Amino acid sequence: MAPLDGKRVAFVATDGVEQIELTRPWDAIKDAGGTPELVSIESGKIQGFNHLDKADTFDVDRTAAEADVGDYDGLVLPGGVANPDTLRTDEDVVRFVRAFFEAGKPVAAICHAPWTLIEADVVKGRTITSWPSLRTDLRNAGANWVDEEVHVDEGLTTSRKPDDLGAFCAKAVEEIAEGVHAGQRESVGA
């Protein structure tokens, strides 16, 4: 039996997502037996990017307004600069992301994705890594920022950049396979 057999994982992204940070974890979830689903602000397609260049488009499975945390076993937040900057301004996305923490479910965020975590008010007291330019934002929100390839804090997996994807994907699969983390739930509103 694969570690994620029967598990559904939400990937929350919109236009401007760093394509490799969507596709590599997506493939890792599938390879581990899980079922990934793309959740976004609007239905239709989202535009991936390879840094600043347009890449492929991806079909949205459901909107954040339609999505229910009870339907998923974990959450992955890919990066890119424009993607999380847009996501953090959408109330439905922020509510959906915060609900994973309230339920104690595993969350994995890479690169600039922790901006959405800051908006969801779930980083205070947590140890997190990210793209280095988010260091001050995370510290100002009460997080302890570290410069590591991958860091896990009570079911929250974070990494810095595409070069970290191997470690990020492995830890994300491991944490989602473990299921609910009580410490994840306890961190909300810390």
Side-chain angles (χ1 to χ4, degrees):
M1 185 165 136
L4 298 184
D5 277 351
K7 296 194 183 265
R8 290 175 60 192
V9 179
F11 280 69
V12 176
T14 192
D15 293 333
V17 65
E18 185 68 32
Q19 183 159 311
I20 194 75
E21 293 175 3
L22 172 64
T23 58
R24 281 274 303 274
W26 185 281
D27 290 344
I29 296 299
K30 284 177 66 173
D31 291 348
T35 303
E37 287 190 2
L38 182 57
V39 176
S40 193
I41 295 170
E42 297 176 354
S43 58
K45 294 182 180 289
I46 64 167
Q47 178 67 59
F49 276 76
N50 292 325
H51 194 53
L52 298 175
D53 299 322
K54 280 187 176 181
D56 298 326
T57 59
F58 300 90
D59 292 325
V60 173
D61 293 303
R62 66 178 70 183
T63 67
E66 300 166 332
D68 183 330
V69 69
D71 294 338
Y72 299 99
D73 300 289
L75 170 66
V76 176
L77 297 169
V81 178
N83 171 53
D85 196 40
T86 301
L87 291 174
R88 67 183 173 159
T89 66
D90 186 88
E91 291 178 19
D92 292 322
V93 167
V94 172
R95 172 201 51 79
F96 184 62
V97 169
R98 183 175 174 84
F100 278 87
F101 288 82
E102 292 168 343
K105 294 185 177 183
V107 174
I110 188 166
C111 198
H112 289 78
W115 267 338
T116 309
L117 301 179
I118 292 169
E119 195 65 33
D121 195 24
V122 294
V123 300
K124 187 174 182 182
R126 305 302 293 269
T127 299
I128 296 175
T129 193
S130 69
W131 185 255
S133 66
L134 275 67
R135 175 182 51 234
T136 300
D137 296 338
L138 284 161
R139 286 181 177 158
N140 287 343
N144 174 39
W145 186 85
V146 293
D147 184 11
E148 298 175 3
E149 178 182 46
V150 65
H151 189 88
V152 179
D153 182 342
E154 297 287 344
L156 173 59
T157 302
T158 53
S159 283
R160 303 168 299 186
K161 56 189 174 184
D163 290 347
D164 300 338
L165 278 164
F168 176 75
C169 292
K171 280 297 182 185
V173 166
E174 178 183 324
E175 293 299 306
I176 294 167
E178 288 175 6
V180 171
H181 292 70
Q184 183 84 305
R185 186 181 300 118
E186 293 163 7
S187 73
V188 177

